[in-house]
Amino acid sequence: MQAATQWFAARVSAKRQEAEGIWSFEFTAPEGGTLPPFEAGAHLDLRIGDKIRQYSLCNAPAERGRYVVAVQREDAGKGGSREICDSLETGAAVMLRGPKNFFRLDPAASHAVLLAGGIGITPMLAMAEQLHARGTPFELHVCARNAARAPFRDRLAQAPFAASVRWHFDDTPEAGRMALHELVGAPAAGRSLYVCGPGGFIAAATSAAHSHGWPAGSVHVERFSAEPAAVGEDRAFVVEIRSTGQLVEVPKGVSVATALETIGIEILRSCNEGYCGTCITGVLAGQPEHRDVVLTDDERARNDCFTPCCSRALGDVLVLDL
């Protein structure tokens, strides 16, 4: 069974536009067969070019032969969603990692309130499927700007739990923050609240829950992915070895050179502080976060080499000339 920390190959077996600016992608194993199991709330890491993005799995957890995610194309984003929606087509090969789950359903809950804002519907779809399979009562509220921007309407209309779904659109009198306050409602024994969507939506929902007196342990939130690293900030990223295609995780606080040594790649180094230049390594894609004092400004601007003893990445992936 594939470990959640390892990258594995898959292919796009289907692509479909689910709403204005939103596409779903179905991934299957290259040769067919089963995929690692997942529970509702889980997400995948998707490698696209020099970027890694996280997307919630939105198909039924009981399905073992496919993964389904949905991507909202953001014109003002960092480019990952545009590249995925514009260029990823049926038959394309992709690299995935996971599934991982930080947004689990409470198995002890006797009733669930699911609040989805826009593309935040994705983990809620899997939750609705799992709750229905368990026989646990729930209500799913989907909020969107308008009907054209509400994904998976056909799927939810045909679902066996369609009676538990409510739609709320900004261009109708029923929507808005006052309605959101009412949707959250009062807490009760065995009742759990799950929220996913844009930051403002989450803030409004959690504020409503606080004002109603919901206990913190009964409110569960899924936020969108983190921003790229700022200069001087440590965070995990991935390096790709161009000659083999191998992907190596570089954890927070661990140098690239040290991470490479764990897979048997040793880079000659001396100072380990970026002032001797012994370890300078070629970069073929991605943007290094230079922390050395040996490269000139022009060399840094070219982004074609860096010092793996101390420098890191501003993006998600660095492709190394190794």
Side-chain angles (χ1 to χ4, degrees):
M1 188 63 66
Q2 183 70 43
T5 57
Q6 296 177 330
W7 291 92
F8 61 97
R11 69 179 183 90
V12 179
S13 50
K15 177 182 180 180
R16 176 183 175 185
Q17 185 165 7
E18 301 291 350
E20 183 180 319
I22 298 175
W23 280 262
S24 67
F25 295 87
E26 178 185 275
F27 303 126
T28 54
E31 305 300 326
T34 60
L35 292 166
F38 72 97
E39 294 184 341
H43 70 272
L44 289 173
D45 292 339
L46 169 62
R47 163 83 185 279
I48 181 76
D50 64 348
K51 305 174 184 68
I52 296 173
R53 296 293 183 265
Q54 293 75 39
Y55 295 106
S56 296
L57 288 159
C58 57
N59 54 310
E63 296 178 344
R64 296 295 307 278
R66 67 174 189 154
Y67 293 143
V68 179
V69 304
V71 182
Q72 179 169 289
R73 189 184 189 280
E74 298 285 358
D75 288 332
K78 307 173 193 69
S81 67
R82 294 195 303 274
E83 189 171 352
I84 292 168
C85 294
D86 295 351
S87 64
L88 200 59
E89 301 295 343
T90 301
V94 295
M95 293 298 292
L96 304 176
R97 181 172 59 180
K100 292 178 279 188
N101 199 347
F102 306 108
F103 192 41
R104 289 184 172 86
L105 286 169
D106 181 355
S110 57
H111 185 273
V113 179
L114 312 179
L115 296 183
I119 193 64
I121 182 62
T122 50
M124 303 303 185
L125 289 170
M127 287 183 167
E129 296 278 6
Q130 191 160 318
L131 289 165
H132 176 72
R134 288 179 181 173
T136 303
F138 69 93
E139 54 193 87
L140 169 57
H141 297 277
V142 189
C143 305
R145 295 179 189 174
N146 51 54
R149 295 185 64 85
F152 298 104
R153 293 189 71 198
D154 291 344
R155 172 179 165 181
L156 286 171
Q158 299 168 14
F161 50 81
S164 299
V165 181
R166 299 289 183 273
W167 295 92
H168 308 272
F169 302 125
D170 290 347
D171 59 358
T172 62
E174 292 80 14
R177 287 196 175 185
M178 293 302 293
L180 186 59
H181 188 273
E182 296 172 6
L183 297 182
V184 170
R191 199 165 187 240
S192 289
L193 174 66
Y194 301 85
V195 186
C196 184
F201 178 83
I202 291 176
T206 53
S207 175
H210 179 74
S211 67
H212 279 299
W214 279 76
S218 297
V219 180
H220 312 272
V221 172
E222 174 89 321
R223 301 184 186 276
F224 295 145
S225 58
E227 296 293 316
V231 173
E233 175 189 356
D234 265 13
R235 66 154 196 177
F237 59 97
V238 168
V239 293
E240 176 186 331
I241 311 306
R242 173 50 59 89
S243 61
T244 64
Q246 197 168 7
L247 299 174
V248 182
E249 182 85 14
V250 182
K252 180 179 179 180
V254 175
S255 73
V256 174
T258 299
L260 291 174
E261 287 175 352
T262 66
I263 62 164
I265 297 178
E266 293 192 14
I267 295 177
L268 186 63
R269 49 179 168 153
S270 179
C271 71
N272 288 314
E273 296 180 5
Y275 63 79
C276 74
T278 303
C279 67
I280 291 176
T281 301
V283 174
L284 299 176
Q287 185 177 2
E289 195 265 280
H290 296 288
R291 297 186 179 183
D292 66 277
V293 295
V294 67
L295 295 176
T296 67
D297 289 343
D298 287 343
E299 287 171 329
R300 292 185 177 195
R302 290 201 303 266
N303 285 326
D304 60 3
C305 65
F306 85 135
T307 52
C309 71
C310 64
S311 296
R312 302 187 69 78
L314 287 176
D316 297 309
V317 181
L318 281 180
V319 181
L320 304 184
D321 190 11
L322 292 172

